[in-house]
Amino acid sequence: DAGITQSPRYKITETGRQVTLMCHQTWSHSYMFWYRQDLGHGLRLIYYSAAADITDKGEVPDGYVVSRSKTENFPLTLESATRSQTSVYFCASRRDDYGYTFGSGTRLTVV
Amino acid sequence: GQQVMQIPQYQHVQEGEDFTTYCNSSTTLSNIQWYKQRPGGHPVFLIQLVKSGEVKKQKRLTFQFGEAKKNSSLHITATQTTDVGTYFCAGNILTGGGNKLTFGTGTQLKVEL
């Protein structure tokens, strides 16, 4: 899994602040995804991207913004963080029509 | 929207006992994937099933995809402490935007010596 990295691993931010979570993959996979994981909800898709400059909403996109100017990077921005966005965030990429490879995650706490 | 349900939510077993988790979708799936997440870790891809009625094995793990492609199961024979973790199924449906996985809520497995 060394090919997909997320940063930071841990982040504490205040309500109302903007925060960006980074995701970088070295395989040139076309598809990239952002999920959040909360107890009782499993993994929920926030946004995904089929290629550079192509992004689309997932199940829970409100309050988040993504961009993908380069194939290898897929940052996720919380424009104005809220306590309900406290979660573990996972980035993933996919090779063709096969399994996803996940990053190690970012544990975000909004206080 | 599409839902993927998993049961049970939790399972405690003694080492050496068998374990099964079940996954059910409200819609027909093009394929289903299974992932394992160790405590504090990230999900790791285990396998993908594509064909109706397909059965695949990985050592002590047996994966099945239902005939109607709406359900799946993962069976572990003779559990070991290394099997501890949460097992997720994830269903893939074709949409206008391409395949998107919908994850089940997971089954947390604990194995006691």
Side-chain angles (χ1 to χ4, degrees):
Chain A
D1 292 347
I4 185 163
T5 55
Q6 290 185 240
S7 61
R9 285 282 280 138
Y10 303 92
K11 176 76 176 177
I12 300 175
T13 191
E14 295 178 338
T15 301
R17 297 255 188 183
Q18 182 182 83
V19 60
T20 296
L21 311 183
M22 304 302 292
C23 179
H24 175 80
Q25 53 117 345
T26 59
W27 296 302
S28 298
H29 288 171
S30 295
Y31 278 88
M32 296 187 75
F33 308 84
W34 274 106
Y35 284 87
R36 61 177 289 174
Q37 186 173 37
D38 306 287
L39 278 174
H41 290 282
L43 288 150
R44 292 182 291 174
L45 181 64
I46 304 171
Y47 269 95
Y48 69 102
S49 170
D53 297 321
I54 301 175
T55 62
D56 206 350
K57 296 178 181 179
E59 181 185 353
V60 288
D62 293 344
Y64 303 95
V65 174
V66 293
S67 62
R68 193 154 176 221
S69 57
K70 293 183 178 180
T71 300
E72 60 267 31
N73 296 323
F74 191 38
L76 175 74
T77 298
L78 287 67
E79 294 185 296
S80 178
T82 65
R83 289 195 179 90
S84 65
Q85 293 176 309
T86 292
S87 186
V88 180
Y89 290 85
F90 288 104
C91 176
S93 70
R94 189 189 85 198
R95 185 201 79 191
D96 300 325
D97 186 19
Y98 205 59
Y100 290 18
T101 300
F102 284 83
S104 298
T106 295
R107 186 174 295 274
L108 176 69
T109 302
V110 183
V111 298
Chain B
Q2 184 211 13
Q3 290 191 344
V4 178
M5 306 301 293
Q6 257 185 278
I7 56 169
Q9 193 172 3
Y10 304 98
Q11 184 81 59
H12 287 196
V13 298
Q14 295 288 323
E15 189 177 41
E17 291 182 338
D18 292 356
F19 160 77
T20 304
T21 175
Y22 299 91
C23 183
N24 291 287
S25 169
S26 56
T27 58
T28 303
L29 304 169
S30 60
N31 59 59
I32 194 158
Q33 299 177 2
W34 285 90
Y35 293 78
K36 177 184 178 180
Q37 185 176 21
R38 294 182 185 275
H42 57 276
V44 174
F45 174 71
L46 294 177
I47 207 162
Q48 176 172 277
L49 304 171
V50 179
K51 300 176 183 176
S52 169
E54 189 170 13
V55 178
K56 287 188 176 180
K57 292 189 176 184
Q58 289 181 348
K59 297 182 180 178
R60 295 178 294 104
L61 277 62
T62 302
F63 304 84
Q64 289 189 300
F65 199 11
E67 294 290 341
K69 301 184 75 172
K70 284 188 172 183
N71 56 66
S72 182
S73 65
L74 158 60
H75 179 82
I76 302 178
T77 303
T79 55
Q80 300 175 358
T81 55
T82 53
D83 296 324
V84 164
T86 300
Y87 292 85
F88 292 96
C89 63
N92 227 327
I93 60 168
L94 286 173
T95 67
N99 285 347
K100 288 185 293 185
L101 276 183
T102 297
F103 281 81
T105 48
T107 295
Q108 186 177 347
L109 173 64
K110 292 191 176 181
V111 181
E112 298 173 356
L113 291 171

